[in-house]
Amino acid sequence: MKLTWDTGDSWFERTYALENQRGHVLESFDESPSLDELREAERRHGERIDLWQAGLLCSECSDEINGRFASDPDSDLLCWDCAMDATGDSENGVRVNTDPTKAVMSESQLHKKSLCDHVINVATGCRHGCKFCYVPTTPAVEHREDMLNEQADVDDAQRDWGSYLLYRDDLPERLHRILEDRNPEERKQTDRGRGVVMLSSGTDCYQDRRAAQITRGCVYELIEHEIPVRILTRSPAVVRDLDLFKQAGNLVTVGSSIPSLDAELVSAMEPNAPPPMKRWNALDQLQRAGVSVFVSMSPTYPGMGKYEIDNLLGHFSALGAAVVFHEPINPRGANFEMCLEAAEEVGRDDVVTKLREFEEDRTAWVEYAVEQINTVQQQANRYGNIEVHSWPDDQLVDATSGELSRRLRAMQKAVSPENFDDNERAPDESQQQLMSDAQELKKLL
């Protein structure tokens, strides 16, 4: 499928047609189709349109777009020079613009969590503004202060998280060329990452329509090249690409972060993200259609008791999730203060008390984290179809010793039981309760 064009009375007056491989016109566009119109045409016809050297004109300077491009908030196409000169805009309190990064698909350390070997982020920044988010402290954000300030007037990447978003509109086109030009055998593939590419580790890849369009193009390219894909999102909009996921078979698994069903607390900690049950409903729709799903039960909050954990796992059992990734919250630095402020604002004294306790005594956090990991693994045993993959934090492992440290370290090194091919994978024996008796666990601590 490709975009063709004809001129009118002048070189600048153009009409466009979308043709299939046989040259039959699928649909036509008037002069200056928007990026939104073109991306939605891709979705309607189930293929991707390569927008490089397709005769499209920049809406600002009228130059022909023959390389990198972006769009303005109204979805009008911009050549790269005009995109870099644009001052951006504001949408519902979020400053939006273009991300100038050259990165497309980056190697990732998330293979240590059995998630992936590579990541693709469709934007820098995120609308959700989760208080516990670690992304603003990563090099991808922390070391780009000048760019963030120039493109979105960002003064504090951590405190401003949730108020800026810089898109990478031409990512599908750039990914296509990388996958076509590079030898597949040269791509990193570890035992735990299994060559998987994850969208997205640093932003929500379905947080809005524009991000979702970039994501669909990238996923299409990856499965066309038979590369396994993990999608992680909090947005129910992920179901818009159900058709693509069904075509991909075992190559795609889709997950959502659901740390709790306590909508009030989740809303405080993740102020602009959809409610947890909407995320669950999206995964339910996907799994009913035969798409492999997983859950990131992360980060779970202090104060969650056995009943709440069991109720949450019961919902995951109903999904038939391939795996439930679990990690207790570890607030630190600016993250800690932001989580504390959020809990105070909604009057959650139980959470505030625990967080204050962690602040005053780090040992209290170690005990909480170990006990919560153990409780989640214990309660998962009540269901015959849940595999919990625990993620002990490095700080937690380093703060323990002896047998407990050994078991936590083994959990870290485990491979998730997911299948990205036709081979069955047995659950890792290290992913189980640390101790059946609470008193014995306290002795280990």
Side-chain angles (χ1 to χ4, degrees):
M1 190 170 70
K2 65 179 181 178
L3 195 66
T4 61
W5 56 279
D6 286 315
T7 57
D9 294 336
S10 75
W11 187 82
F12 298 102
E13 296 178 7
R14 302 186 178 189
T15 57
Y16 300 86
L18 188 59
E19 299 181 356
N20 62 18
Q21 292 181 344
R22 296 181 178 179
H24 296 155
V25 175
L26 301 174
E27 60 181 290
S28 300
F29 301 93
D30 292 331
E31 185 178 349
S32 303
S34 69
L35 182 58
D36 178 73
E37 290 176 312
L38 295 168
R39 293 303 193 205
E40 286 305 298
E42 290 180 331
R43 196 160 74 90
R44 282 194 297 275
H45 298 288
E47 292 186 42
R48 221 182 57 71
I49 310 167
D50 193 337
L51 300 184
W52 280 4
Q53 298 179 337
L56 295 164
L57 302 179
C58 173
S59 62
E60 188 69 25
C61 69
S62 297
D63 281 354
E64 192 169 271
I65 296 173
N66 291 315
R68 294 202 63 182
F69 64 86
S71 76
D72 63 17
D74 293 326
S75 198
D76 294 323
L77 283 162
L78 298 172
C79 69
W80 195 244
D81 287 341
C82 289
M84 291 300 94
D85 289 339
T87 57
D89 208 340
S90 180
E91 294 178 352
N92 300 318
V94 176
R95 299 185 295 278
V96 299
N97 208 341
T98 297
D99 184 348
T101 183
K102 296 179 181 179
V104 176
M105 185 170 67
S106 305
E107 291 189 4
S108 173
Q109 293 298 309
L110 288 174
H111 61 85
K112 295 179 179 179
K113 290 190 172 185
S114 199
L115 284 174
C116 63
D117 281 321
H118 305 267
V119 295
I120 292 176
N121 285 302
V122 301
T124 294
C126 186
R127 293 179 183 271
H128 296 334
C130 300
K131 303 301 182 182
F132 48 75
C133 189
Y134 68 92
V135 173
T137 63
T138 62
V141 175
E142 195 172 40
H143 295 168
R144 304 174 74 201
E145 293 178 355
D146 292 343
M147 183 279 288
L148 290 172
N149 183 265
E150 182 178 342
Q151 294 296 102
D153 296 323
V154 175
D155 294 322
D156 185 328
Q158 180 78 69
R159 283 284 176 179
D160 289 348
W161 190 249
S163 68
Y164 59 93
L165 188 60
L166 307 178
Y167 298 93
R168 301 172 181 172
D169 290 307
D170 64 352
L171 206 54
E173 278 73 17
R174 291 194 285 148
L175 178 62
H176 172 77
R177 278 153 182 78
I178 285 176
L179 297 180
E180 287 289 311
D181 295 343
R182 291 184 185 174
N183 185 343
E185 295 180 359
E186 295 177 356
R187 283 197 301 272
K188 174 184 175 182
Q189 181 165 337
T190 65
D191 291 340
R192 282 186 280 171
R194 291 174 286 191
V196 173
V197 177
M198 180 175 172
L199 286 94
S200 290
S201 64
T203 189
D204 192 311
C205 54
Y206 280 93
Q207 62 193 285
D208 59 23
R209 184 184 180 97
R210 188 170 170 184
Q213 290 171 337
I214 301 169
T215 298
R216 182 182 177 98
C218 291
V219 173
Y220 181 91
E221 288 295 337
L222 290 167
I223 64 175
E224 279 287 292
H225 290 83
E226 299 184 343
I227 298 173
V229 183
R230 182 188 301 281
I231 295 169
L232 178 62
T233 178
R234 287 176 166 82
S235 175
V238 68
V239 300
R240 77 197 300 270
D241 287 338
L242 177 58
D243 62 317
L244 186 61
F245 304 150
K246 289 173 69 175
Q247 293 172 22
N250 287 344
L251 283 174
V252 169
T253 183
V254 182
S256 190
S257 296
I258 309 178
S260 168
L261 296 179
D262 185 338
E264 178 190 57
L265 184 56
V266 171
S267 178
M269 295 294 185
E270 308 173 23
N272 302 315
M277 280 308 298
K278 285 193 174 182
R279 307 176 202 177
W280 186 92
N281 287 330
L283 291 184
D284 186 46
Q285 184 176 341
L286 291 171
Q287 66 92 12
R288 287 177 183 274
V291 178
S292 173
V293 299
F294 69 96
V295 179
S296 176
M297 185 181 171
S298 169
T300 45
Y301 309 130
M304 290 179 67
K306 183 181 294 186
Y307 172 79
E308 186 176 356
I309 288 172
D310 186 69
N311 183 39
L312 189 55
L313 291 170
H315 278 76
F316 299 158
S317 174
L319 288 175
V323 65
V324 175
F325 294 102
H326 170 243
E327 183 174 22
I329 197 169
N330 182 14
R332 49 201 151 181
N335 279 13
F336 173 84
E337 293 299 330
M338 292 169 69
C339 289
L340 188 62
E341 291 166 6
E344 287 176 333
E345 286 176 5
V346 293
R348 293 302 297 264
D349 294 339
D350 55 332
V351 178
V352 171
T353 299
K354 279 290 186 181
L355 290 176
R356 289 290 187 199
E357 187 180 350
F358 297 164
E359 182 182 34
E360 295 168 3
D361 180 9
R362 194 60 174 170
T363 302
W365 172 77
V366 173
E367 292 178 355
Y368 143 78
V370 169
E371 289 173 359
Q372 194 173 79
I373 287 173
N374 196 56
T375 300
V376 170
Q377 288 282 358
Q378 281 182 335
Q379 295 307 112
N381 290 335
R382 298 184 64 243
Y383 303 93
N385 64 337
I386 296 181
E387 296 293 342
V388 171
H389 190 88
S390 297
W391 284 333
D393 190 282
D394 281 337
Q395 291 187 3
L396 182 61
V397 178
D398 293 342
T400 57
S401 60
E403 179 64 13
L404 180 56
S405 180
R406 186 193 68 78
R407 293 188 186 186
L408 291 172
R409 184 72 69 188
M411 279 184 168
Q412 281 189 324
K413 294 180 179 179
V415 179
S416 74
E418 299 157 292
N419 299 317
F420 289 98
D421 49 37
D422 295 328
N423 298 319
E424 292 293 326
R425 181 181 291 274
D428 194 300
E429 293 183 359
S430 67
Q431 290 288 339
Q432 57 182 309
Q433 62 186 13
L434 297 167
M435 193 64 66
S436 59
D437 182 83
Q439 293 302 317
E440 290 299 317
L441 182 61
K442 286 187 179 295
K443 288 181 182 179
L444 283 179
L445 282 165

